[in-house]
Amino acid sequence: MAEQEEDFTSLPLPDRFVHKNWKVRKEGYEDAAKVFEATPDESASIFRPFILDSGLWKGAVLDSNVAAQQEGTNALCAFLKFGGTEACKRSRNATITPIVEKGLSSAKATTKQNSVEAILLYVELDKADPILDDLLQGLSNKQPKIVTATLGALTALYHAYGVKIVEPKPALKALPKVFGHADKNVRAEASNLAVELYRWLREAMKTLFWNDLKPLQQQDLEKLFEGVKSEPAPKQQRLLRSQQAAAAVAPPAREDAEAEEEDTDQAAEEEVIDLAEPKDVIGQIPGDFHERLASAKWKDRKEALDVLYEVAHVDRIKDGHWDEVIQGLSKSMKDANVAVVTIAANCIDVLAKGLRKSFARYRGRIMAPVLERLKEKKQSIADALGQALDSVFASSGLSECLEDILEFLKHKNPQVKAETLKFLIRCLKTTREAPSKPETKSIADAATKLLTESTEATRSGGAEVLGTLMKIMSERAMGPYLEGLDDIRKTKIKEYFDAAQVKAKDKPKPVAPPPKAAPPAQKRAAPKKTAPGLKPPGKRASTPQAEKPKSIYAVESPQPKPAAGRAIPSKLGSLPKSGLSAPSTGPKKKLAGTGPAPSLQSPRRNISSPSPYDEAAPAPKLGRGLAGRPLGKPASIPSEPPPPPSSAPPGLTSAERSELEELRAENERLQRTTGDLRTEKSKLTSQIHELQNQNAQLIEDHTRDVLSIKAKETQLVRARSDAEAAETMVQRQEREMERLKRQLSRSVRDPSPPAYDDQIYRDPNTSGTNSSHHPAMERYDSGRSGSREVGFQRARGYMGSPSEEKENGSLDAGMPKKPQEPKAGLSRETSVSRREAREDEGVDGNGQPVESWKRAAEVTSQLKARIEMMKAKQGLNRPGGR
């Protein structure tokens, strides 16, 4: 046995990991953990076999022996802790699922702890997304204990890293399923996970799963949430390796607790928006929305806006092209009906909240109409408009909205001015960015003017603006703007300052102006200081002034002069000596002068020589910035022994001072220019927005005019076609009338000759001697009259136009024609006269002769009279007819 144990320990660790004896595996796990802990860094060779073969860790986690499994999970934690990122990425795919299935639900508490620690280490070394996906798959396991253990691991994961590192949406979407589990332990652990997520997300988490729970479950969770609401905002318990490295390089320098709380609150608000899924609202807007919004009936406009409000009232809206909708809402602000204005303001509110930062590009088109509508005195309308303005401000910022606000503070309507003032106060309290100095000046000037208004509400609003602005910018920064105010107003502003609660604080700029002005002086001194060498800085500590002239003018006897160099008179005396004692360097210049000349030349050299002295003097004191500036007073400083006054020649100090003043003046000039450019830019931006609005209006008007012109052109074309059709019809009718006239004239001429011929055979002058009329003769007459009628009908047929034959005759072509009725007037009277004539001539209806011949003569005379009357009526007589 002893030999076998020795053999086991001599085996490589990978071989011991897969040994069939659990004791060997257990000892291998223990030795591996110790070896990993003793490694110097992540690149140690002991990690390489375990990185290349990730199946070793899968077997360690799934070990059949619980004791060996415990040590296996412990070895995995050591491997991850000391093996680094590469160890994490190579072994992650092989170990997470076994940990979920067998490690988290182990009967040993140590194994459970090691499994949870391994999961946390995997997240710490890389990222949480792949770990979260594998854990969520464990919620679908059939064994309740595995589901319960997985929920516990998720709770520990969110508790350690928070919702910024671990995405909360997948877990929230899985909560309804586990809340409906049959096992009570699963539901209890799901409640713990929901409470942990509520600590981070608060009410925002309810948007994803709350409606899928039963009412009883909602009540139970609300009771659990009550205990969490009073707790402070949670913080991340464990840092990622990347965060640890960043903290080691640059540790956080923030010491203000309030600033940290503000950051936490802002992050929570952003998380609320990120949790909600963006919805495509544009696709849900009805197609006739714009037509109904432009309707003349206010009910149609209100119904259209109601539909828009219903579809847009969501937590997050997908970005898209909202230009036409915003244009319609902008026009609705000018609507005469207050109900339409109110619902339009509500639509602006929900759109700004849903689009968030994407709504900022529409701010210039919607804010001015809303501010203009603040003239309404009804409180409900003012509240709706104010809420819309707050949402628009939240989507953009103070700098973008400030110009419009200051412009409407000058409005002539007191109601608009008062509501705009309230809006400005709300903006200052909710903004997270402090206004710049030009913006602070413009706000302070506008608020100071409001302090002299006639109404008390406006004066109080101006004081509140100044107090809130002072809370942001500090009392010192606001001091210059309050100098001209009386004590009563200052006291009121101070009260608002104490009561104001703001989210922004003016932070001092880290870069100060003195260090910026120092580098130019150092650059000038640096190149000239290289000539003297490094000796002056070393000797300046004891005798700074005496040794500088030595290094430049003379080299002889350097030791006796340091003692006298401490006093100014000795310096003046030493300079001429040094100049005269070195004739070899400049014999022509020095020996040419007379006896009294050296005494006069030494002060001149003393005046001209400070430039090299001064250039070498500031060398050891470059770190003091502009400390050499006060050294430019030679009259008062020569008596002082310290080195600062000794290194302050008058000539260079004045130049440096003048240059510094020029730089300061130029800096102020640049600041003023920058402020003017910003103001001009804001004005130009507003003009651009106005021109864009006008352009959009002109485009819309042009489109409407083009459509109306096209409609008129269509109507004109139709009218022209109708006119042409009418002209064609008139021409056709005229031709028809001409044809009928010709036919009428022909028809009038044709029946007249038969009447005339009839008179030849029937002479009215014949006496009774010829009154005897034979029946055959009567039949002959009747035959002649019938033939005349047939000829007349044929003549009418011949005179008819081809069109009439086509329209009338072609349809009756194969059918027998009905006998034509005699013409009105002439034919009827002719038939009546003929019938009477037959009766008078002695023939009855069956052709039998009548005995009364006298009666026949009378009928004949009557017939002739009637014919003459007919001719007279038609205006035709016999000579004219021929």
Side-chain angles (χ1 to χ4, degrees):
M1 292 295 296
E3 294 179 357
Q4 291 181 356
E5 288 180 0
E6 291 177 1
D7 293 337
F8 293 154
T9 55
S10 63
L11 289 175
L13 287 176
D15 295 341
R16 296 166 68 183
F17 270 46
V18 295
H19 201 277
K20 60 182 180 180
N21 191 339
W22 68 269
K23 292 183 180 181
V24 177
R25 296 196 302 272
K26 179 176 177 296
E27 293 176 357
Y29 300 150
E30 293 174 352
D31 294 343
K34 295 177 182 179
V35 172
F36 294 152
E37 187 175 358
T39 54
D41 53 22
E42 299 174 359
S43 60
S45 59
I46 189 62
F47 295 110
R48 183 55 49 187
F50 297 96
I51 291 175
L52 296 177
D53 188 5
S54 59
L56 297 174
W57 295 114
K58 181 178 180 181
V61 175
L62 293 175
D63 201 301
S64 58
N65 187 277
V66 291
Q69 183 187 16
Q70 176 180 336
E71 298 300 331
T73 53
N74 186 28
L76 176 61
C77 292
F79 174 71
L80 295 174
K81 186 176 181 180
F82 300 103
T85 306
E86 187 178 3
C88 164
K89 293 181 179 180
R90 291 296 185 92
S91 62
R92 180 174 56 199
N93 295 332
T95 56
I96 295 299
T97 302
I99 287 175
V100 172
E101 293 178 353
K102 197 168 181 181
L104 294 176
S105 60
S106 176
K108 283 186 169 290
T110 307
T111 305
K112 290 183 179 180
Q113 294 177 359
N114 292 337
S115 300
V116 174
E117 179 65 20
I119 291 175
L120 297 179
L121 284 171
Y122 275 117
V123 176
E124 178 183 333
L125 291 169
D126 189 18
K127 55 184 179 180
D129 294 341
I131 309 301
L132 185 62
D133 295 340
D134 292 339
L135 287 176
L136 292 176
Q137 291 179 2
L139 298 179
S140 303
N141 199 289
K142 296 181 179 180
Q143 299 183 22
K145 65 174 184 178
I146 295 179
V147 179
T148 305
T150 305
L151 290 172
L154 287 172
T155 305
L157 194 62
Y158 285 109
H159 182 79
Y161 295 106
V163 294
K164 286 186 177 181
I165 306 299
V166 186
E167 179 65 33
K169 288 183 183 179
L172 288 172
K173 293 180 180 178
L175 281 178
K177 179 180 178 181
V178 293
F179 269 112
H181 202 279
D183 191 90
K184 63 178 182 179
N185 296 326
V186 175
R187 296 195 300 270
E189 198 61 41
S191 300
N192 295 336
L193 177 59
V195 171
E196 180 62 32
L197 290 173
Y198 187 83
R199 291 178 62 244
W200 295 91
L201 303 174
R202 301 297 177 179
E203 297 296 326
M205 62 180 287
K206 294 183 179 180
T207 59
L208 294 179
F209 79 101
W210 194 254
N211 295 330
D212 297 332
L213 300 180
K214 297 179 181 179
L216 184 60
Q217 293 174 342
Q218 294 178 359
Q219 295 176 3
D220 294 339
L221 287 178
E222 287 291 351
K223 294 178 181 178
L224 296 175
F225 293 162
E226 289 296 330
V228 181
K229 291 180 180 179
S230 59
E231 296 180 0
K235 296 182 180 180
Q236 185 176 344
Q237 300 296 327
R238 295 181 60 157
L239 298 178
L240 302 177
R241 287 291 175 89
S242 57
Q243 294 175 339
Q244 294 174 12
V249 175
R254 300 194 63 176
E255 298 177 356
D256 190 5
E258 295 181 359
E260 293 181 0
E261 292 180 0
E262 291 175 4
D263 291 347
T264 304
D265 296 340
Q266 186 176 7
E269 292 179 3
E270 294 176 356
E271 188 67 26
V272 170
I273 303 304
D274 293 336
L275 285 177
E277 293 289 341
K279 296 183 179 179
D280 186 11
V281 177
I282 294 182
Q284 301 179 13
I285 299 177
D288 59 344
F289 170 76
H290 299 287
E291 298 179 0
R292 297 177 63 186
L293 191 61
S295 176
K297 298 181 180 180
W298 70 270
K299 289 185 178 180
D300 294 342
R301 299 194 299 271
K302 183 178 180 300
E303 290 175 357
L305 292 173
D306 287 334
V307 173
L308 176 62
Y309 179 79
E310 290 296 330
V311 299
H313 193 225
V314 295
D315 294 328
R316 193 174 180 184
I317 299 175
K318 186 178 180 180
D319 192 12
H321 299 286
W322 292 89
D323 300 87
E324 295 183 3
V325 177
I326 296 298
Q327 185 69 20
L329 294 176
S330 177
K331 289 184 178 180
S332 299
M333 286 292 106
K334 303 177 183 178
D335 202 291
N337 190 280
V338 293
V340 176
V341 175
T342 304
I343 189 62
N346 294 335
C347 292
I348 295 172
D349 178 28
V350 296
L351 286 176
K353 288 180 178 178
L355 291 172
R356 289 289 170 172
K357 298 301 180 182
S358 301
F359 192 83
R361 61 176 179 268
Y362 308 114
R363 182 207 57 81
R365 302 170 59 182
I366 202 67
M367 177 169 281
V370 176
L371 289 171
E372 186 68 34
R373 194 65 185 191
L374 289 174
K375 61 186 178 181
E376 296 292 338
K377 296 183 179 180
K378 195 173 181 181
Q379 190 60 34
S380 60
I381 303 176
D383 293 341
L385 294 172
Q387 184 64 33
L389 288 173
D390 293 342
S391 300
V392 173
F393 169 76
S395 66
S396 54
L398 181 62
S399 300
E400 291 80 2
C401 302
L402 186 59
E403 183 178 355
D404 291 336
I405 294 173
L406 295 179
E407 186 67 25
F408 277 88
L409 284 177
K410 306 173 185 177
H411 203 277
K412 59 183 180 180
N413 192 322
Q415 182 69 17
V416 175
K417 187 182 297 184
E419 293 297 331
T420 306
L421 190 57
K422 294 179 182 178
F423 174 51
L424 176 58
I425 295 171
R426 295 196 301 271
C427 292
L428 291 175
K429 289 182 178 179
T430 56
T431 183
R432 295 187 178 274
E433 296 181 0
S436 61
K437 290 184 178 180
E439 293 172 350
T440 303
K441 185 178 183 301
S442 59
I443 296 173
D445 293 343
T448 304
K449 292 179 181 179
L450 295 176
L451 295 176
T452 60
E453 290 288 333
S454 58
T455 58
E456 173 61 23
T458 306
R459 294 196 299 271
S460 300
E464 188 173 359
V465 168
L466 290 174
T468 308
L469 190 61
M470 184 187 295
K471 193 77 171 182
I472 298 174
M473 305 302 296
S474 76
E475 297 183 50
R476 181 180 179 183
M478 291 297 295
Y481 305 110
L482 307 180
E483 289 180 355
L485 302 180
D486 54 13
D487 295 338
I488 298 176
R489 291 172 178 169
K490 287 183 179 179
T491 303
K492 197 167 187 179
I493 293 172
K494 182 66 175 176
E495 293 176 358
Y496 284 114
F497 166 75
D498 296 334
Q501 295 181 357
V502 296
K503 296 182 179 180
K505 289 289 185 181
D506 186 31
K507 301 175 183 178
K509 301 296 184 295
V511 180
K516 291 183 180 178
Q522 295 174 2
K523 288 180 181 179
R524 281 191 172 187
K528 296 181 181 179
K529 283 183 281 185
T530 55
L534 298 175
K535 295 179 180 180
K539 297 177 181 179
R540 270 181 75 185
S542 59
T543 57
Q545 289 181 346
E547 296 181 358
K548 289 176 189 175
K550 295 175 186 177
S551 62
I552 297 175
Y553 290 98
V555 184
E556 69 179 47
S557 65
Q559 296 179 353
K561 292 181 181 178
R566 294 182 180 177
I568 299 300
S570 66
K571 180 181 178 181
L572 296 174
S574 64
L575 289 175
K577 290 178 182 179
S578 63
L580 295 173
S581 63
S584 60
T585 58
K588 296 180 180 180
K589 293 183 180 179
K590 302 296 179 180
L591 297 176
T594 58
S599 63
L600 296 174
Q601 291 176 357
S602 60
R604 287 181 182 176
R605 281 191 178 179
N606 191 14
I607 294 172
S608 60
S609 62
S611 58
Y613 296 159
D614 189 23
E615 291 169 1
K621 299 182 180 181
L622 291 176
R624 297 182 62 186
L626 297 176
R629 186 175 61 184
L631 304 179
K633 296 180 180 179
S636 59
I637 300 174
S639 60
E640 298 179 1
S646 64
S647 61
L652 189 59
T653 303
S654 60
E656 184 181 12
R657 183 181 299 174
S658 62
E659 183 180 2
L660 180 60
E661 293 298 332
E662 290 176 1
L663 291 174
R664 287 180 176 176
E666 185 177 359
N667 187 19
E668 293 178 358
R669 185 167 59 255
L670 290 176
Q671 288 181 354
R672 288 194 300 269
T673 304
T674 303
D676 295 339
L677 291 176
R678 286 180 180 175
T679 305
E680 185 177 0
K681 179 183 177 182
S682 61
K683 291 181 181 179
L684 293 176
T685 303
S686 63
Q687 292 178 4
I688 289 172
H689 290 318
E690 292 177 359
L691 291 176
Q692 287 177 350
N693 296 337
Q694 294 177 5
N695 187 24
Q697 184 67 29
L698 291 174
I699 291 173
E700 184 178 359
D701 296 341
H702 175 68
T703 304
R704 185 166 55 252
D705 294 340
V706 169
L707 293 177
S708 63
I709 290 172
K710 289 184 178 179
K712 296 296 183 183
E713 289 178 352
T714 305
Q715 294 177 1
L716 183 59
V717 170
R718 292 179 180 176
R720 285 178 180 174
S721 62
D722 294 342
E724 292 175 356
E727 289 178 359
T728 305
M729 184 178 295
V730 168
Q731 293 176 0
R732 187 183 303 164
Q733 294 297 332
E734 287 178 354
R735 290 195 299 269
E736 184 69 18
M737 288 175 63
E738 292 294 334
R739 186 185 64 78
L740 291 176
K741 285 181 182 180
R742 291 194 300 271
Q743 182 179 357
L744 180 60
S745 62
R746 292 175 183 175
S747 64
V748 170
R749 291 195 194 104
D750 290 342
S752 58
Y756 176 75
D757 294 340
D758 196 15
Q759 290 181 357
I760 297 175
Y761 296 99
R762 295 186 180 185
D763 190 359
N765 297 326
T766 54
S767 60
T769 58
N770 296 327
S771 60
S772 60
H773 199 281
H774 198 272
M777 190 65 184
E778 179 67 24
R779 286 193 298 272
Y780 172 76
D781 293 336
S782 64
R784 286 191 63 201
S785 63
S787 63
R788 286 198 301 269
E789 292 178 359
V790 172
F792 173 68
Q793 292 176 0
R794 290 178 178 176
R796 287 192 61 187
Y798 293 145
M799 287 189 295
S801 63
S803 62
E804 291 179 350
E805 292 179 0
K806 182 178 180 181
E807 293 178 0
N808 302 324
S810 62
L811 296 175
D812 302 331
M815 300 175 64
K817 295 184 179 180
K818 296 181 180 180
Q820 296 183 358
E821 296 180 355
K823 226 177 178 183
L826 178 62
S827 301
R828 187 172 57 252
E829 292 177 358
T830 305
S831 60
V832 172
S833 62
R834 287 175 181 172
R835 188 170 55 252
E836 293 177 352
R838 292 191 191 100
E839 294 176 357
D840 293 342
E841 290 175 359
V843 180
D844 58 4
N846 297 324
Q848 299 297 329
V850 183
E851 297 179 355
S852 179
W853 298 99
K854 295 181 179 180
R855 183 61 179 170
E858 294 176 1
V859 172
T860 302
S861 61
Q862 292 178 1
L863 181 59
K864 290 180 179 180
R866 289 180 180 177
I867 290 173
E868 293 295 331
M869 290 174 61
M870 290 168 56
K871 291 180 178 180
K873 288 181 181 179
Q874 295 178 2
L876 301 173
N877 51 16
R878 191 177 301 172
R882 293 181 181 180

